Amino acid sequence: MSKKSIRLLYRKVIDAQSRKTWEQHVFEDSYTEFLMQAQYYNQEKKYSTFGELLTYVPGAEKLHFLVSPAVTGHLMPLNSKVPDILNAVGKHFLPFRNFKFEIINSNIRQKTQHQVAINFLSEPITWYDTIGNQLLVTLNDTPDEEGRLTTELFTLQPFLNIHDIKLL
């Protein structure tokens, strides 16, 4: 059995239909911050959508970065675990190191059109095998006193990608 070190990327899309409490907070706070930050790029109130701002206003791509701090505090309850990715026994297990926030769409006049994504980049994990549509991995390559490794088995799902791979 060959092993490889991988990092996974999970793209979490949040919009008006999102139901989890922390997702709703991300939605509300990112929209509020978007409205505040967009004022600078739309002083003449000519544009109503994020896409229009990107197309017609130089520097508007900075809105991703400027709105990002509004969601940072909402990631604390995740305890550095990637949301929605569960192991075979239904527990969150995948630690993330970094995240990148992005605005997918928004409209200063229609809150329901606001849509954002948080891209979670996992810590390196060791990939041992693929069993059907599941990956067998370890988070820690240090065996216990009996020489055993603790493993995690989880299902591949939409918006989850192997970001990079390193042969060991």
Side-chain angles (χ1 to χ4, degrees):
M1 183 182 316
S2 67
K3 61 181 185 175
K4 301 166 183 79
S5 175
I6 60 173
R7 289 187 304 165
L8 301 171
L9 181 71
Y10 178 61
R11 179 178 171 86
K12 175 69 178 171
V13 176
I14 298 171
D15 59 22
Q17 308 308 312
S18 297
R19 294 292 162 233
K20 293 180 182 172
T21 301
W22 82 268
E23 293 169 355
Q24 292 171 352
H25 289 300
V26 167
F27 177 81
E28 293 293 333
D29 289 354
S30 64
Y31 185 69
T32 300
E33 190 66 21
F34 170 75
L35 292 178
M36 290 176 35
Q37 296 294 339
Q39 291 176 34
Y40 174 78
Y41 297 96
N42 195 21
Q43 293 177 12
E44 296 175 14
K45 300 184 182 181
K46 290 171 54 176
Y47 311 110
S48 60
T49 69
F50 177 62
E52 290 172 330
L53 290 171
L54 288 177
T55 302
Y56 301 112
V57 181
E61 69 278 350
K62 293 178 186 168
L63 283 166
H64 300 286
F65 171 76
L66 294 171
V67 175
S68 182
V71 305
T72 304
H74 297 299
L75 301 181
M76 297 289 271
L78 300 177
N79 295 319
S80 298
K81 301 283 191 259
V82 176
D84 305 333
I85 308 301
L86 304 175
N87 65 13
V89 295
K91 294 190 176 195
H92 292 97
F93 73 97
L94 186 62
F96 71 89
R97 175 183 301 174
N98 297 316
F99 74 93
K100 182 178 179 186
F101 171 83
E102 70 178 281
I103 302 166
I104 298 171
N105 189 26
S106 200
N107 187 314
I108 61 172
R109 295 185 183 95
Q110 291 183 303
K111 185 178 187 176
T112 58
Q113 290 186 8
H114 185 67
Q115 187 178 47
V116 299
I118 303 173
N119 298 290
F120 294 92
L121 182 61
S122 79
E123 294 282 349
I125 59 177
T126 303
W127 174 20
Y128 279 90
D129 204 358
T130 303
I131 304 167
N133 66 341
Q134 297 183 315
L135 298 183
L136 179 66
V137 302
T138 60
L139 303 180
N140 181 350
D141 273 342
T142 306
D144 65 14
E145 59 278 352
E146 295 179 14
R148 298 178 186 272
L149 294 172
T150 301
T151 61
E152 301 286 353
L153 185 65
F154 67 99
T155 302
L156 293 172
Q157 62 186 53
F159 302 106
L160 179 63
N161 183 50
I162 295 176
H163 181 267
D164 58 53
I165 188 167
K166 179 181 177 184
L167 301 177
L168 299 175

